[in-house]
Amino acid sequence: MRWDNLKIEGEEEARLPGYREPAAVRRFDAPEALDMRFYEIHAKSALNRVPEASRMPFRWTINPYRGCSHACVYCLAGETPILMADGRTRPLAELRVGDEIYGTEQEGTTYRRYVRTRVRAHWATEKAAYRVTLQDGTEVVASADHRFLTNRGWKHVLRAERGATPRPYLTRAVSLLGPGRFVTPPVDTPEYRRGYLCGAVRGDAQEPEARGRASAYLAACGIDGGLVGLSGIGGATTRRRRTPGALLRAERIDALVVWPFTPSDDWRKGYLAGIFDADGSCGSDGLRIDNADPTILSWTEACLQSFGFACDVEPPDALGVRGVRVRGGVRAQLRFCHLTGPAVTSKWGLEGRPVKSNADLAVVAVEPLGAPQKLYDITTGTGDFIANGVVSHNCFARPTHTYLEFDAGRDFEREIVVKVNVPEVLRAELRRPSWQGEHIAMGTNTDPYQWVEGRYRLMPGIWEALRDFRNPCSVLTKSPLVLRDLPLLKEIAEVTDVSANLSVPTIDEQAWRATEPHTPHPRARLEAVAELNRNGIPTGILVAPLMPGINDDPRQVEEIIQTAIDAGATSIGGIGLHLRGEVRGVFMEWLRAYRPDLVSRYEELYARGAYLQQPERDRIARVLRNAGAPRARPFRRDPADERPFDRAFRRAMGPRGRIERDVGLRRLGPPDAVQESLF
């Protein structure tokens, strides 16, 4: 254990799934580690294979740490109703992993649309809570960090604390997106049941869910046999069985479904649910109820209007069937279904419908609620969900921690898994006869020189194993901490190919503090480039990501490149911004808040996917060349495919010190080109 001088005694052990031995759980009295626990585990493998479908030009990488101390948390009150995939709602606190709900997706510049997704993680935390009130009366209780989709992109509930990186937040100038406030479901009263039976029987409901509910309601009234032998066509039950018992049963049902003289709201809700289950449908043209009976149509229209629905009665078709159509789109559809509670949920489908509404969802107020409250959050497949009628963001990365039976919330950011035996396991894997000596690219997932590496010092052992087995390798990092291991890199360079790249997207002080506040200063990175090259380690830079209109000004790029040339950079690359998956929403949110003048340009540039279109990529390449960057070399899937490798030597290898470079090994061009494609 490398932090013994900072160790707090009396720590426990914990077992993590997939690991035979218990993990040592440690805390440390260091400023950067307060309120954190480190689970020291013994990993079964060190090498991680990159999926073949990936666009990366290498197959192997190493990740010594799991968990993230900078993870974000988005939280809502537990009673917040969430839109389920069957159209109903359920309180957020009662959701479970695997539940199917609605989220949204957006392709190109078209409307964001409703799609089905599943809950992948569910957790609770305690945080300060705020009530967000909208113009239509919608209220949502959320943490300050929570984000909602607005007409100006994703926005946090509150602005960032003083000294933190600025972020978009809710103001009265924005409106949230979504169908609008969910209404309270109906109560299953005797009047609601009578109304439902009236609609279902007179409309001759045939769906299994409707007939099942009607049969249950009849049984509660002492009438067995359900709807067998009955038809509601023409507005009255028909006696299909002429036995005295059947006639008596039909008369009792007739009495239940008689039109009331003064209907209650519960009866109206039940009637609308029953007639919808019998004759209703939902689609892109709205919600409608079709029937040929003028009495049924008249009652349907009157009940809808009593609840404030705007509706039209359409002309009859060739068979005399007319439709009552409810105007208002998805908002009216959900309000109808939640207000009345039909049994046939398959008719409620929103799949593929656009996320647009005429609801007035302008922000009215954001008010603190005092003491911290228990709040909940979920992770979904789409990265969002519908909370009380508004599109709500969630953390998309946390499910990876639940594999280890950690909570996906606070645990993800405060319970860090450290693979303390990575160097030893790597050595064993490199010794295997099946290992082909392929290039290993580090820094492809998480930076191996993040701050915790300064304490655990896992990278020296990794470098030693790569040195001893002559395995070609490279590293991409934002940290000058790599200089700590310079002696080992020099030893590796004597026996195989090794290179480094440091990411330097800008050297402007203000831009660096706004976009990368927790990283080392860009000029310190360039100094590391110079030091590595002075010591014979081919080191380049990546001006990445290059963002059109933001950091691609030829003068800025030229300053970075000329500084890198002065530092002896062996390669200089630059890649345009990639907007994959959730990154797209996060970036566009930032763009709408800080550079709204560029929104339309970016929507056009990324209309076809996550990558810049070819003309823009060509323009960025010209900017780099004109600024002095060398022309990029083509990528190989794996440089080891072209390198002879002494397998007999590898099988016989054991722990040892430095070795002399084999004459048979030839050095290829600097492998930095391999690392370049990450961006």
Side-chain angles (χ1 to χ4, degrees):
M1 174 56 207
R2 301 173 176 86
W3 287 16
D4 285 339
N5 61 317
L6 299 176
K7 177 181 174 182
I8 298 177
E9 299 296 338
E11 294 299 338
E12 71 274 19
E13 291 185 342
R15 289 191 176 274
L16 301 179
Y19 298 102
R20 181 178 302 174
E21 301 298 326
V25 185
R26 304 188 188 277
R27 299 177 189 268
F28 303 97
D29 187 15
E32 64 269 39
L34 293 179
D35 197 32
M36 297 180 68
R37 288 191 295 185
F38 296 84
Y39 293 76
E40 298 178 356
I41 57 93
H42 288 77
K44 294 180 179 179
S45 63
L47 291 169
N48 298 306
R49 188 178 182 91
V50 178
E52 291 294 333
S54 171
R55 297 184 63 171
M56 304 304 177
F58 49 83
R59 283 189 281 259
W60 299 97
T61 186
I62 301 171
N63 299 301
Y65 306 101
R66 292 187 65 170
C68 178
S69 61
H70 300 295
C72 50
V73 179
Y74 310 110
C75 307
L76 292 171
E79 65 271 17
T80 306
I82 306 302
L83 184 61
M84 308 300 292
D86 64 1
R88 296 190 171 96
T89 65
R90 188 183 302 170
L92 176 58
E94 298 179 12
L95 291 183
R96 296 294 179 266
V97 173
D99 285 345
E100 192 173 22
I101 66 175
Y102 272 110
T104 73
E105 282 186 351
Q106 182 174 11
E107 295 183 4
T109 59
T110 61
Y111 279 116
R112 184 177 290 268
R113 299 183 182 277
Y114 294 103
V115 296
R116 294 172 185 261
T117 186
R118 289 192 181 275
V119 177
R120 295 181 176 178
H122 181 269
W123 68 92
T125 187
E126 285 197 6
K127 300 190 74 173
Y130 299 81
R131 178 182 289 108
V132 179
T133 304
L134 307 181
Q135 189 66 50
D136 76 336
T138 298
E139 291 186 353
V140 185
V141 175
S143 71
D145 299 322
H146 199 83
R147 288 194 288 170
F148 295 102
L149 184 61
T150 76
N151 58 339
R152 299 185 181 180
W154 291 100
K155 292 188 180 292
H156 295 268
V157 170
L158 291 183
R159 71 173 73 203
E161 296 180 359
R162 181 170 297 180
T165 302
R167 67 188 187 189
Y169 62 95
L170 298 180
T171 68
R172 292 191 177 186
V174 301
S175 295
L176 273 57
L177 297 185
R181 176 170 50 117
F182 296 149
V183 298
T184 304
V187 179
D188 191 10
T189 64
E191 281 293 294
Y192 176 85
R193 296 177 182 181
R194 291 173 69 94
Y196 184 85
L197 287 170
C198 183
V201 171
R202 291 180 180 276
D204 193 19
Q206 298 297 318
E207 296 285 350
E209 299 96 324
R211 297 182 71 83
R213 180 186 284 187
S215 296
Y217 286 174
L218 288 172
C221 296
I223 303 174
D224 296 328
L227 299 183
V228 175
L230 296 175
S231 173
I233 298 176
T237 55
T238 302
R239 283 81 172 157
R240 291 179 177 173
R241 298 180 182 179
R242 299 295 181 177
T243 64
L247 290 173
L248 177 61
R249 178 171 172 273
E251 290 175 358
R252 295 181 62 189
I253 294 176
D254 279 342
L256 283 175
V257 302
V258 67
W259 298 114
F261 184 71
T262 54
S264 65
D265 280 350
D266 282 355
W267 187 93
R268 292 188 181 98
K269 293 176 183 177
Y271 170 76
L272 289 173
I275 196 64
F276 177 80
D277 280 346
D279 299 322
S281 62
C282 287
S284 58
D285 60 341
L287 183 148
R288 57 186 298 117
I289 297 172
D290 298 318
N291 200 284
D293 189 315
T295 304
I296 290 177
L297 292 172
S298 178
W299 274 93
T300 300
E301 183 181 14
C303 289
L304 286 168
Q305 290 176 346
S306 72
F307 292 117
F309 289 100
C311 55
D312 300 313
V313 180
E314 300 175 339
D317 62 13
L319 299 177
V321 176
R322 306 176 71 185
V324 179
R325 185 173 65 87
V326 178
R327 301 194 303 270
V330 170
R331 180 192 179 200
Q333 173 183 328
L334 283 177
R335 180 169 173 259
F336 175 91
C337 293
H338 293 160
L339 180 73
T340 64
V344 185
T345 58
S346 60
K347 296 182 178 183
W348 303 21
L350 300 180
E351 191 83 13
R353 302 281 293 277
V355 182
K356 57 180 181 178
S357 171
N358 58 358
D360 190 351
L361 302 179
V363 176
V364 173
V366 178
E367 306 166 287
L369 296 182
Q373 296 188 15
K374 189 173 185 179
L375 302 177
Y376 294 81
D377 203 359
I378 58 176
T379 290
T380 70
T382 58
D384 63 4
F385 55 98
I386 315 302
N388 200 18
V390 294
V391 182
S392 178
H393 194 277
N394 69 72
C395 178
F396 63 93
R398 294 176 181 269
T400 57
H401 233 43
T402 61
Y403 174 78
L404 300 174
E405 294 186 358
F406 282 127
D407 180 78
R410 178 187 174 281
D411 291 353
F412 183 78
E413 59 197 82
R414 312 309 290 171
E415 314 289 339
I416 309 299
V417 177
V418 184
K419 303 174 185 178
V420 294
N421 67 331
V422 162
E424 293 79 9
V425 174
L426 175 62
R427 188 175 291 275
E429 291 178 324
L430 296 178
R431 186 181 291 116
R432 292 174 181 169
S434 59
W435 176 246
Q436 299 298 308
E438 296 183 55
H439 182 95
I440 298 173
M442 291 169 286
T444 64
N445 189 16
T446 58
D447 194 330
Y449 286 103
Q450 56 186 288
W451 69 265
V452 72
E453 168 60 20
R455 303 287 183 168
Y456 272 100
R457 299 180 60 85
L458 295 178
M459 285 302 296
I462 293 173
W463 289 127
E464 289 172 357
L466 294 169
R467 173 202 65 194
D468 292 348
F469 286 89
R470 305 178 178 181
N471 209 102
C473 52
S474 61
V475 64
L476 173 64
T477 181
K478 294 178 182 289
S479 175
L481 181 59
V482 66
L483 292 176
R484 181 200 64 186
D485 298 332
L486 179 56
L488 285 169
L489 293 173
K490 292 169 66 175
E491 293 178 9
I492 295 172
E494 294 181 12
V495 296
T496 189
D497 289 330
V498 61
S499 67
N501 268 289
L502 278 89
S503 173
V504 188
T506 181
I507 56 176
D508 179 78
E509 185 84 13
Q510 184 176 0
W512 164 63
R513 292 188 182 279
T515 58
E516 296 181 333
H518 302 294
T519 61
H521 197 288
R523 294 195 181 275
R525 303 179 214 177
L526 288 167
E527 291 172 3
V529 171
E531 184 65 17
L532 288 164
N533 279 306
R534 277 196 294 269
N535 284 272
I537 307 301
T539 304
I541 70 162
L542 291 176
V543 188
L546 276 168
M547 298 169 280
I550 298 174
N551 70 336
D552 65 337
D553 184 288
R555 292 170 297 181
Q556 295 183 26
V557 175
E558 183 177 1
E559 183 180 2
I560 295 173
I561 290 177
Q562 292 305 314
T563 306
I565 291 174
D566 293 342
T570 57
S571 68
I572 299 172
I575 306 296
L577 175 69
H578 293 176
L579 295 180
R580 302 185 189 94
E582 185 67 18
V583 174
R584 185 189 190 100
V586 174
F587 177 81
M588 292 303 291
E589 168 199 341
W590 178 88
L591 195 68
R592 290 186 182 97
Y594 296 102
R595 291 299 304 272
D597 57 305
L598 293 176
V599 171
S600 59
R601 180 181 178 187
Y602 272 74
E603 288 177 342
E604 181 180 352
L605 289 173
Y606 292 93
R608 297 181 181 177
Y611 302 94
L612 284 170
Q613 297 178 30
Q614 190 61 50
E616 187 66 16
R617 293 202 298 267
D618 293 342
R619 186 191 68 81
I620 286 179
R622 288 194 299 271
V623 169
L624 290 166
R625 287 198 302 271
N626 293 339
R631 188 177 296 272
R633 293 181 296 278
F635 286 57
R636 298 182 302 275
R637 171 64 183 174
D638 182 61
D641 295 340
E642 301 178 15
R643 178 183 292 103
F645 196 81
D646 189 343
R647 292 178 174 79
F649 169 79
R650 183 176 64 252
R651 287 193 296 269
M653 277 294 296
R656 54 161 184 74
R658 293 173 55 182
I659 62 173
E660 295 298 320
R661 181 179 176 85
D662 274 5
V663 175
L665 291 176
R666 61 183 179 88
R667 184 178 299 279
L668 300 173
D672 47 70
V674 173
Q675 201 82 49
E676 244 177 29
S677 69
L678 292 176
F679 297 89

